[in-house]
């Protein structure tokens, strides 16, 4: 008996061996035929590729929305910083020129008729 010349037993695959694929690809008792096994594996791999592609597309769309929200918030923060700087400069000018709150006249729209108070 020479073990090098004996053929190994046909592989037997249980569902647990392919649990990561999400389905039982082989009957637990019948030896797999290589062509059938490969075809099943290819079909399942193609199905998983389609699922992953759909998920990737959904994530891409969500990421685009997040980028849009981020850029909008970034512009809002920049606008608020500019406003804060303008207000700070106006308050500094008032303080330097000794202008009190009651000293400033309200701004009027010249196209409106004057108030008759």
């Amino acid at each position: 008996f020479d073990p090098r010349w004996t053929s190994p037993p046909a592989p037997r695959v249980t569902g647990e061996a392919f649990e990561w694929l999400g389905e039982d690809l082989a009957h637990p008792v019948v030896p797999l035929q290589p062509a059938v096994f490969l075809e099943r594996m290819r079909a399942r791999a193609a199905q998983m590729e389609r699922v992953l592609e759909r998920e990737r597309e959904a994530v891409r769309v969500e990421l685009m929305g997040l980028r849009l929200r981020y850029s909008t918030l970034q512009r809002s923060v920049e606008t608020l910083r500019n406003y804060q700087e303008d207000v700070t400069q106006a308050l500094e000018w008032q303080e330097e020129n000794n202008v009190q709150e009651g000293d400033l006249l309200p701004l009027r729209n010249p196209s409106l008729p004057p108030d008759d108070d």
Side-chain angles (χ1 to χ4, degrees), residues 9-14 17 26-32:
R12 295 181 187 271
V13 180
T14 64
H27 191 279
V29 177
V30 178
L32 291 175

Side-chain angles (χ1 to χ4, degrees), residues 1-10:
F1 171 73
D2 186 358
R4 291 177 295 166
W5 299 105
T6 59
S7 61

